[in-house]
Amino acid sequence: MNVLLVRPRPHADTIGLQSMMICEPLELEYLAAMVQDHHQVSLIDLIIDKKPLLYHLQQIQPQVVALTAYIAHVNVIKEYARIIKSFDPTIHVVIGGVHAEVVPEDFFDPHIDFIVAKNPLQNFSSLLTQMEAGTEGVLPKVITNPGTHASPAEEFIPPVFPKRSITAHYRHRYYYIYHNPCALLKTSYGCPYTCSFCFCRQVTDGGYFERKLTDVIEEIKGITEPEIYIVDDNFLVDPQRVRQFCSLLEDHSIDKHFLIYGRADFIAAHEDIIARFAQVGLRAVIVGVESPNPQELEKYNKKSSVLLNEQAIRVLAKYDVDCYATLIVGIDWTKEDFFLLQQWLQKMKLRFINLQPFTPLPGTPVYDDYQDQLLIPRDCYQQWDLANLVVQPSNISVRRYYYY
């Protein structure tokens, strides 16, 4: 079948990060690798490609269009689906991505045929097979059955490497701040921690699964970019695994720079690993600092502390590894809380920070606690971007909240 994979362009009302980062659509590259042997596959990245979707439909004449999405893309995706069906109503429209896996009902729309909510690689491949046979009509709109007796790990760990060649004409445009050009790499799925605001565990049903590091090294060997952004929800989980990764990089004479996600408590407890990792290419760590307030860390079920956060920041600085600190701005904050944050950031001499208003994403444990206090309607998806304030502040006005 002639398959078109689409990464959507953000809605005009979405506060995006395109001025700071545009990363490759790794999930679509995995799909391409999974089905390329039996189908003709094309990919368009509409963040970079400024031609309208209709132009590509006319040029490619696909039988299937598969789109990936986060929550902020829901209304964009529905509009794309309308355009696709208006162009040719026989085209099958398939939706996937992390939001579709956790809250698939948000994509219910007459122009969307299938929503892949579990085991996306196997299910998408099986779906194409049934489309070719003309038997897709027996399938439910939301596809969750893995179709095999695979173990949980086999459902999440891809059996193929991503097909990066399918984005060859875009790759020089993929970057993350000054990690440029930059490729993405995934070595594990899920997270063993239970932060109340986080989406990660919902995607993998609470499981945590690691790829074999020998396979990871083989994939790295095929990456041409000098910078690699490891997009594991948390790369710093198992000390022995991180040590083995460093040794394998050295054994195979791999010369790359790495950006990773990592927890502060791991960094603080394993200075020796950070020192070793820095020797073989660690350049920056995105650390979920979340708050300088210990009560808030407890509320978020962070299982960390302000002291550990400060120790981690100092360890990274000691080995010349940049700390990209992410912090949650609470909806119950007062002027004094904002002042405390300012003082703490200055004390810690942090240069790279990402401030996000507290956002109880649908599908996370905290959403039900705040659904009656929403400032932005639940179906105004484009503003659920982790930058707009979606919950009414309890102690100051919205205007003051943004001002501070």
Side-chain angles (χ1 to χ4, degrees):
M1 300 193 77
N2 188 1
V3 180
L4 174 61
L5 307 177
V6 179
R7 204 243 295 258
R9 187 178 298 126
H11 191 281
D13 292 341
T14 298
I15 299 176
L17 297 175
Q18 283 73 49
S19 62
M20 296 180 59
M21 57 170 282
I22 301 176
C23 296
E24 65 186 299
L26 189 65
E27 65 274 33
L28 296 182
E29 293 170 341
Y30 269 116
L31 281 187
M34 192 70 181
V35 304
Q36 65 179 346
D37 291 342
H38 304 286
H39 305 279
Q40 180 180 339
V41 187
S42 306
L43 185 152
I44 57 171
D45 186 340
L46 292 179
I47 293 179
I48 296 175
D49 200 317
K50 301 309 178 185
K51 298 184 183 70
L53 175 61
L54 184 59
Y55 168 85
H56 294 286
L57 296 174
Q58 292 168 341
Q59 295 296 309
I60 297 171
Q61 297 290 319
Q63 297 165 282
V64 180
V65 177
L67 307 102
T68 184
Y70 294 100
I71 184 172
H73 295 119
V74 173
N75 287 333
V76 173
I77 291 295
K78 290 179 179 179
E79 175 60 14
Y80 283 3
R82 185 196 63 78
I83 292 170
I84 293 164
K85 290 295 189 179
S86 295
F87 171 73
D88 182 350
T90 69
I91 295 175
H92 297 286
V93 178
V94 184
I95 309 302
V98 294
H99 193 68
E101 293 184 34
V102 179
V103 195
E105 59 269 22
D106 278 356
F107 292 97
F108 286 177
D109 185 271
H111 301 111
I112 292 173
D113 298 301
F114 297 103
I115 302 160
V116 179
K118 294 291 180 187
N119 195 13
L121 297 184
Q122 295 288 352
N123 273 329
F124 184 65
S125 179
S126 298
L127 178 58
L128 293 182
T129 298
Q130 293 197 254
M131 287 177 180
E132 277 195 314
T135 58
E136 75 280 2
V138 302
L139 295 174
K141 190 179 188 74
V142 179
I143 299 175
T144 58
N145 181 7
T148 66
H149 297 291
S151 68
E154 290 171 331
E155 287 187 25
F156 289 103
I157 296 177
V160 293
F161 291 168
K163 181 179 173 63
R164 291 188 169 88
S165 60
I166 202 168
T167 53
H169 54 304
Y170 298 128
R171 296 199 70 79
H172 66 288
R173 299 281 301 278
Y174 294 138
Y175 74 104
Y176 189 102
I177 313 178
Y178 61 85
H179 304 266
N180 188 7
C182 183
L184 299 189
L185 175 70
K186 187 83 167 165
T187 83
S188 68
Y189 295 79
C191 180
Y193 296 90
T194 56
C195 301
S196 61
F197 55 84
C198 189
F199 218 56
C200 304
R201 289 177 59 83
Q202 278 64 46
V203 175
T204 58
D205 296 327
Y208 174 69
F209 312 101
E210 297 174 337
R211 292 176 57 191
K212 293 180 180 177
L213 286 180
T214 51
D215 289 341
V216 171
I217 293 297
E218 286 306 307
E219 182 178 344
I220 291 174
K221 288 180 180 179
I223 294 175
T224 59
E225 286 82 1
E227 303 277 345
I228 296 179
Y229 176 9
I230 299 180
V231 291
D232 297 16
D233 300 316
N234 180 11
F235 187 73
L236 302 180
V237 173
D238 179 0
Q240 184 56 38
R241 186 173 189 262
V242 182
R243 291 190 182 97
Q244 183 186 0
F245 181 69
C246 293
S247 296
L248 288 170
L249 291 175
E250 195 167 60
D251 292 346
H252 291 267
S253 301
I254 291 173
D255 183 17
K256 302 286 187 183
H257 289 143
F258 296 94
L259 163 65
I260 65 171
Y261 287 94
R263 283 178 57 94
D265 51 357
F266 183 102
I267 296 167
H270 299 94
E271 181 177 339
D272 62 315
I273 294 179
I274 299 303
R276 172 81 170 112
F277 203 166
Q279 290 177 334
V280 293
L282 181 62
R283 192 179 189 192
V285 184
I286 301 172
V287 182
V289 171
E290 317 311 356
S291 175
N293 184 320
Q295 286 75 37
E296 286 193 325
L297 294 178
E298 184 176 352
K299 180 175 68 175
Y300 297 148
N301 198 33
K302 189 65 184 178
K303 306 296 185 186
S304 186
S305 69
V306 176
L307 178 60
L308 287 174
N309 285 338
E310 293 178 352
Q311 289 177 338
I313 292 166
R314 293 187 179 106
V315 166
L316 293 176
K318 180 178 179 179
Y319 297 100
D320 200 26
V321 176
D322 287 328
C323 177
Y324 298 168
T326 65
L327 295 108
I328 298 172
V329 182
I331 58 168
D332 57 350
W333 276 23
T334 64
K335 179 179 179 179
E336 288 71 29
D337 291 307
F338 283 95
F339 180 75
L340 171 66
L341 174 61
Q342 180 185 8
Q343 294 294 102
W344 187 80
L345 292 175
Q346 290 174 342
K347 181 185 81 169
M348 299 311 301
K349 299 178 181 178
L350 285 166
R351 292 189 300 153
F352 303 99
I353 59 172
N354 179 16
L355 300 178
Q356 297 180 344
F358 175 75
T359 305
L361 289 170
T364 63
V366 295
Y367 174 75
D368 290 343
D369 296 337
Y370 294 93
Q371 59 179 321
D372 296 331
Q373 305 170 45
L374 297 183
L375 187 65
I376 293 176
R378 171 73 172 77
D379 59 357
C380 193
Y381 301 102
Q382 57 271 19
Q383 291 183 280
W384 286 73
D385 51 17
L386 302 180
N388 278 289
L389 179 61
V390 303
V391 178
Q392 180 68 46
S394 57
N395 290 314
I396 57 177
S397 68
V398 173
R399 184 183 182 89
R400 281 287 175 185
Y401 188 97
Y402 278 116
Y403 175 77
Y404 290 142

